[in-house]
Amino acid sequence: MKLNPDDIRRLAKFTLESGPDEVTCEQWLHMVGEYVEAEQRGEADGPAHAQVAKHVAACTHCAEELALLRELLDGEA
Ligand SMILES: [Zn+2]
């Protein structure tokens, strides 16, 4: 298979926008509940948890969401 420059640009763009271990905000929301619970148990170190942590480093909106969830959980404890 031969790639022309346009294909390469398309591929590069795709890779930038969604690397293999990037999650979207929606995927992130599905993972974060489990993440904060694991965090409370001191177990938030699996590969899925690394993705959650990586996402909040890049996404302020989800970082705020995570801070809120942590507060909620702390309130319950
Ligand atoms: Zn996000």
Side-chain angles (χ1 to χ4, degrees):
M1 179 173 120
K2 238 184 146 188
L3 290 170
N4 65 42
D6 270 352
D7 287 333
I8 292 166
R9 259 198 295 277
R10 252 201 306 277
L11 277 175
K13 189 169 182 287
F14 179 78
T15 311
L16 270 182
E17 282 172 1
S18 57
D21 42 71
E22 295 290 321
V23 292
T24 65
C25 292
E26 206 188 330
Q27 288 170 323
W28 184 88
L29 270 177
H30 286 293
M31 296 159 74
V32 70
E34 205 251 317
Y35 173 83
V36 280
E37 277 172 21
E39 197 178 53
Q40 301 273 307
R41 298 192 302 264
E43 292 168 1
D45 52 7
H49 299 136
Q51 288 184 325
V52 170
K54 199 176 161 193
H55 185 81
V56 289
C59 180
T60 39
H61 177 77
C62 290
E64 279 172 26
E65 199 80 33
L66 178 59
L68 213 73
L69 272 169
R70 278 175 179 154
E71 267 178 43
L72 279 174
L73 274 184
D74 280 348
E76 277 173 17

